[in-house]
Amino acid sequence: DTGVSQDPRHKITKRGQNVTFRCDPISEHNRLYWYRQTLGQGPEFLTYFQNEAQLEKSRLLSDRFSAERPKGSFSTLEIQRTEQGDSAMYLCASTLGGTIRGYTFGSGTRLTVV
Amino acid sequence: RKEVEQDPGPFNVPEGATVAFNCTYSNSASQSFFWYRQDCRKEPKLLMSVYSSGNEDGRFTAQLNRASQYISLLIRDSKLSDSATYLCVVNPQVGGSQGNLIFGKGTKLSVKP
């Protein structure tokens, strides 16, 4: 296991469509985080899981967004009825406990809504 | 006031120059502080943690001033490969138990030959 992997790397979708992204964390990491990064901004926290439990959600995570981590391993982030403002890089990170030093980001999924 | 503020740059410097980045944070209870590096269209990667006593890693020196809520990063003898965006990052949680990080917008550095 070489790191956090995200799929797909790029996604272009039409406004109003639903999209789903996947994140596979480092296998022994029990915490998984989703961030969103728009051009010229730093990553912004969306939500995080400890094992399969979703423990915190940012106010940025509107009702159109849902995240799951059903077996405490991989996670999915779904965006329903996409809007142009959803265009961003969606980054996943994992860590063991809250150890920041072990906080590893995936390469991200770049979403473009047209 | 934004939680973490940085000068966005860009900083354009010649090779060999010394460059300093500054950052301020608003939550005085913040516990952990970091500098991340992000190359164009890549994910952020941890550059170094920041401690009150100051810490150094090769050409990089980080400093934290809790009283002023100020963080700095100094790069000496800059290399072309240092060209990237440098993100100031704060963990606002007491004890760092939650682990979600607050990122600044980043400061873009371009090192020229």
Side-chain angles (χ1 to χ4, degrees):
Chain A
D1 190 340
T2 56
V4 178
S5 60
Q6 291 188 244
D7 184 69
R9 291 294 303 275
H10 304 277
K11 178 72 177 179
I12 299 174
T13 191
K14 291 183 178 179
R15 190 173 52 185
Q17 297 294 304
N18 298 345
V19 294
T20 300
F21 311 140
R22 176 178 169 128
C23 172
D24 286 88
I26 292 173
S27 56
E28 62 267 27
H29 285 183
N30 61 339
R31 290 197 175 183
L32 185 150
Y33 302 81
W34 285 99
Y35 285 78
R36 180 177 73 184
Q37 186 174 23
T38 54
L39 198 62
Q41 303 294 318
E44 295 172 296
F45 169 74
L46 293 178
T47 188
Y48 93 96
F49 294 84
Q50 178 158 304
N51 300 313
E52 66 276 9
Q54 187 173 19
L55 296 187
E56 188 173 346
K57 292 193 286 188
S58 161
R59 58 181 168 75
L60 294 175
L61 213 66
S62 76
D63 291 345
R64 296 184 297 105
F65 288 70
S66 62
E68 294 183 342
R69 195 183 182 197
K71 297 181 180 178
S73 55
F74 73 92
S75 175
T76 57
L77 178 68
E78 181 183 16
I79 309 175
Q80 295 182 326
R81 305 181 304 281
T82 51
E83 302 173 355
Q84 286 190 318
D86 297 331
S87 296
M89 172 78 88
Y90 289 84
L91 292 160
C92 176
S94 70
T95 186
L96 183 61
T99 307
I100 302 301
R101 185 156 291 279
Y103 207 102
T104 304
F105 279 93
S107 299
T109 293
R110 184 170 296 280
L111 173 67
T112 302
V113 181
V114 297
Chain B
R1 180 182 175 188
K2 290 192 181 297
E3 291 189 75
V4 178
E5 294 204 63
Q6 293 182 250
D7 181 343
F11 283 47
N12 297 309
V13 303
E15 267 187 295
T18 295
V19 60
F21 303 139
N22 304 317
C23 168
T24 58
Y25 60 95
S26 61
N27 184 349
S28 60
S30 296
Q31 297 295 306
S32 310
F33 309 89
F34 311 90
W35 284 101
Y36 273 70
R37 170 191 169 131
Q38 187 171 28
D39 293 294
C40 187
R41 304 182 80 83
K42 300 282 191 181
E43 73 274 22
K45 292 185 178 178
L46 178 65
L47 179 65
M48 59 197 304
S49 302
V50 188
Y51 306 112
S52 297
S53 54
N55 49 302
E56 191 173 309
D57 182 3
R59 298 181 293 108
F60 298 83
T61 300
Q63 189 74 51
L64 166 66
N65 184 322
R66 285 189 183 271
S68 304
Q69 295 176 214
Y70 172 90
I71 304 162
S72 65
L73 176 68
L74 185 76
I75 305 176
R76 292 181 300 278
D77 188 24
S78 52
K79 311 290 185 191
L80 296 175
S81 57
D82 294 334
S83 297
T85 295
Y86 291 83
L87 296 158
C88 178
V89 185
V90 173
N91 180 346
Q93 306 293 339
V94 173
S97 60
Q98 304 307 317
N100 31 303
L101 303 176
I102 309 295
F103 287 78
K105 286 187 177 184
T107 299
K108 187 172 182 179
L109 171 66
S110 182
V111 181
K112 306 292 187 184

